[in-house]
Amino acid sequence: HVSGQARVLADHHAMAMDVSSEAQVREGFEHARRAFGRLDVLVNNASVLVTKKRPSVKQMDLLHAVNARATMICIAECHDALQESAGAIVTMAPPVRMGRLEWIAAHPPYTISKYGMTMATLGAATDRVRANCIWPRRMIATAATEMLERSGHAPGAFSRGRSPKYMAEAVCELAL
């Protein structure tokens, strides 16, 4: 259900995989293509959140492996199929606004990895593939924001956050 309109995404399939593994991503997309015969939408939602200003090298590697690199792998693996179907890519990533230096300064490694997701997505747009990023103005009540609130890092992030349904509806609008 999207914005009061009866829309049904007829065929979908969720798969568990390590998105930082090129082999698992390739296998997942091959499975989807065999199951449905085509691929219409890629939603890049996987992400790692590390809010430390100076995370360990291991944490930085994880940020980039799951955020920027996995987005690039997923786009590379399904771009031809999306080109054939005139499909869409929707990525949960922020707009690149260099004027928001306070946000960048708060957690540079995380922000850089998320901007990598944005740039990879925008760079994938063609005359047949729509590629958009979406980033909420207000927090969304997810496991990540619940963790941030419990840790005291972001009071109210979860308890005052919007329902995940809000983002799901917006993603559907961009994907259709």
Side-chain angles (χ1 to χ4, degrees):
H1 182 75
V2 178
S3 301
Q5 300 171 12
R7 288 192 186 170
V8 177
L9 299 177
D11 293 322
H12 65 280
H13 184 72
M15 293 174 274
M17 71 175 79
D18 176 355
V19 293
S20 67
S21 165
E22 185 178 8
Q24 286 188 36
V25 169
R26 183 175 293 122
E27 181 180 313
F29 284 121
E30 284 302 320
H31 173 79
R33 281 190 282 268
R34 282 192 306 276
F36 304 117
R38 61 186 276 159
L39 191 64
D40 296 311
V41 179
L42 166 65
V43 177
N44 289 305
N45 187 42
S47 187
V48 168
L49 174 65
V50 176
T51 57
K52 294 178 184 175
K53 202 169 197 168
R54 292 180 183 84
S56 69
V57 170
K58 184 177 180 178
Q59 289 171 318
M60 284 190 286
D61 287 345
L62 182 62
L63 274 170
H64 290 282
V66 174
N67 295 358
R69 184 175 177 271
T71 298
M72 289 186 276
I73 290 170
C74 289
I75 289 170
E77 286 299 320
C78 72
H79 199 271
D80 289 347
L82 292 173
Q83 188 79 10
E84 287 174 26
S85 69
I89 300 168
V90 182
T91 300
M92 308 308 170
V96 178
R97 294 185 295 204
M98 298 311 290
R100 297 286 311 268
L101 296 178
E102 73 282 354
W103 190 67
I104 297 168
H107 31 63
Y110 172 71
T111 304
I112 291 167
S113 72
K114 293 300 284 188
Y115 279 175
M117 294 174 74
T118 301
M119 300 308 284
T121 300
L122 298 178
T126 68
D127 60 335
R128 291 190 49 83
V129 176
R130 295 178 323 280
N132 291 285
C133 295
I134 186 166
W135 196 248
R137 235 176 239 250
R138 288 184 34 212
M139 295 280 196
I140 305 299
T142 65
T145 55
E146 186 175 24
M147 175 198 68
L148 286 172
E149 186 171 310
R150 268 197 245 139
S151 72
H153 193 76
F158 180 79
S159 59
R160 291 193 311 259
R162 288 186 174 192
S163 164
K165 183 179 176 185
Y166 168 81
M167 283 298 286
E169 289 178 352
V171 168
C172 286
E173 287 291 330
L174 285 173
L176 300 175

